[in-house]
């Protein structure tokens, strides 16, 4: 019987209430796929009540590798550090507010086995509207790849793109997805058993202005690639415009809104 390839699941937690963190960890521990390595990267401030709650709960830490990242607000460094310590053939990177159906990883690994040329797989995502603490919370399901949590991929793919770019002001997740697009063909699986549930809040602290600047960094960084992918370029421009609108920078909003509209028209004429 062929041995199962190990899947490393890296969970990043920061400012997440313990009840939500436990739901996430339980959804990973209950996976039907047997060959799992679970790493919990605690990126909470050293003096926070969140870190104190995790460290005082010995049952929560059973069956996983507990890691700490001491640098304040450096979550990207934390993910890269945790991934460097992962030993699995495949990687799953999720936040502490995500929940997976128990068959998700097994279904994905079956797909990889049946499609040996595939090295990156994306699943659907269901965005929670309020809080994942409510079982009857309504959600919006989408096949569009927007979150790193939707991915499961070979370890060498992560190494090939050098992980997450900690030099970006914001949107390191989107940057990582762009890098994967450039270097791999991303397959997609659409089943109820593989759909991951993500909280739409994610405890974000970035201002909309920082978000706009982060998107603009991606626009420059991938200028050549986006000449071929005008659909992605259009999405980026609209994201920049909406971020500026939230901060009441209306001239900047109009500037990027019309750039996005013109990009759309250019694609339609081609």
């Amino acid at each position: 019987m062929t041995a199962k390839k190990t899947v490393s699941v890296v969970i990043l937690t920061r400012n997440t209430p313990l009840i939500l963190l436990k739901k996430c960890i339980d959804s990973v521990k209950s996976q039907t796929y047997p060959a799992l390595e679970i790493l919990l990267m605690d990126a909470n401030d050293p003096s926070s009540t969140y870190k104190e709650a995790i460290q005082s709960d010995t049952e929560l830490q059973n069956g996983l590798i507990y890691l700490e990242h001491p640098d304040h607000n450096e979550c990207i460094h934390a993910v890269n550090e945790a991934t460097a310590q992962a030993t699995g053939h495949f990687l799953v990177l999720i936040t502490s507010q995500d929940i997976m159906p128990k068959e998700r990883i097994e279904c994905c690994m079956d797909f990889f086995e049946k499609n040996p040329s595939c090295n990156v797989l994306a699943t659907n995502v269901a965005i929670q509207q309020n809080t994942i603490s409510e079982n009857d919370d309504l959600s919006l399901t989408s096949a569009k790849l927007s979150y790193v949590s939707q991915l499961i991929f070979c370890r060498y793919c992560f190494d090939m793109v050098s992980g997450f770019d900690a030099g970006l002001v914001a949107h390191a997740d989107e940057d990582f997805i762009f890098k994967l697009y450039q270097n791999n063909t991303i397959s997609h699986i659409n089943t109820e058993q593989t759909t991951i549930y993500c909280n739409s809040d994610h405890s974000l602290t970035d201002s909309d202005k920082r978000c706009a600047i982060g998107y603009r960094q991606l626009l420059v960084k991938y200028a050549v690639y986006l000449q071929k992918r005008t659909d992605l370029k259009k999405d980026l421009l609209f994201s920049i415009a909406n971020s500026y609108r939230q901060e009441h920078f209306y001239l900047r909003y109009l500037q990027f809104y019309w750039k996005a509209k013109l990009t759309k028209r250019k694609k339609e004429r081609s």
Side-chain angles (χ1 to χ4, degrees):
M1 183 175 178
T2 305
K4 297 285 187 180
K5 292 184 177 180
T6 303
V7 178
S8 294
V9 182
V10 176
I11 305 170
L12 175 69
T13 183
R14 179 172 175 79
N15 298 343
T16 299
L18 197 61
I19 185 174
L20 299 185
L21 174 59
K22 284 184 175 181
K23 282 179 174 288
C24 172
I25 293 175
D26 287 345
S27 78
V28 178
K29 288 183 176 179
S30 63
Q31 291 294 303
T32 57
Y33 189 78
L36 288 186
E37 176 187 60
I38 307 171
L39 300 94
L40 175 63
M41 173 53 81
D42 184 352
N44 289 299
D45 294 338
S47 60
S48 74
T49 56
Y50 298 102
K51 183 178 287 290
E52 181 182 349
I54 294 172
Q55 294 183 339
S56 62
D57 193 328
T58 54
E59 183 180 349
L60 178 143
Q61 298 183 42
N62 287 336
L64 56 79
I65 300 170
Y66 175 72
L67 304 169
E68 291 183 84
H69 189 71
D71 293 341
H72 176 67
N73 270 342
E74 294 293 340
C75 290
I76 300 305
H77 288 297
V79 177
N80 285 335
E81 180 182 324
T83 307
Q85 299 193 42
T87 62
H89 299 87
F90 288 81
L91 289 174
V92 176
L93 309 176
I94 62 175
T95 74
S96 53
Q97 298 184 51
D98 300 332
I99 291 179
M100 294 192 291
K102 63 181 180 180
E103 305 94 346
R104 181 174 188 260
I105 293 179
E106 183 174 10
C107 290
C108 290
M109 293 306 294
D110 285 344
F111 184 92
F112 281 118
E113 187 174 346
K114 295 173 182 176
N115 300 273
S117 62
C118 174
N119 52 27
V120 183
L121 181 61
T123 68
N124 280 14
V125 59
I127 310 298
Q128 299 290 115
Q129 295 302 289
N130 295 306
T131 169
I132 58 176
S133 63
E134 300 293 336
N135 294 328
D136 60 350
D137 183 26
L138 297 176
S139 61
L140 299 174
T141 302
S142 172
K144 183 177 180 181
L145 178 54
S146 303
Y147 299 95
V148 170
S149 301
Q150 293 174 249
L151 295 170
I152 178 169
F153 47 89
C154 296
R155 170 58 190 260
Y156 71 81
C157 294
F158 186 88
D159 295 335
M160 185 168 59
V161 299
S162 301
F164 291 90
D165 186 350
L168 296 172
V169 171
H171 311 306
D173 278 15
E174 288 89 340
D175 172 69
F176 180 74
I177 291 172
F178 273 136
K179 289 192 289 188
L180 285 181
Y181 268 131
Q182 287 185 298
N183 293 278
N184 305 273
T185 299
I186 300 179
S187 301
H188 181 262
I189 184 170
N190 174 14
T191 66
E192 184 178 344
Q193 291 79 15
T194 58
T195 298
I196 189 166
Y197 286 80
C198 298
N199 192 317
S200 59
D201 177 16
H202 283 289
S203 297
L204 293 176
T205 57
D206 280 336
S207 68
D208 289 303
K209 185 178 179 181
R210 281 176 59 87
C211 286
I213 294 171
Y215 283 130
R216 291 181 68 177
Q217 284 183 309
L218 296 183
L219 195 64
V220 173
K221 185 174 181 178
Y222 295 100
V224 175
Y225 177 63
L226 292 174
Q227 288 178 0
K228 305 173 185 176
R229 291 296 304 270
T230 54
D231 56 329
L232 297 179
K233 183 177 181 180
K234 180 192 70 177
D235 288 344
L236 263 182
L237 289 168
F238 274 129
S239 296
I240 296 170
N242 290 332
S243 296
Y244 277 129
R245 183 178 61 180
Q246 293 297 323
E247 287 287 325
H248 308 295
F249 285 81
Y250 293 117
L251 290 178
R252 285 292 191 189
Y253 160 68
L254 290 172
Q255 175 188 0
F256 285 95
Y257 174 82
W258 283 109
K259 281 186 177 181
K261 294 289 284 186
L262 291 172
T263 299
K264 181 178 180 181
R265 290 171 184 167
K266 179 179 179 181
K267 180 188 175 186
E268 290 173 346
R269 289 197 302 268
S270 61

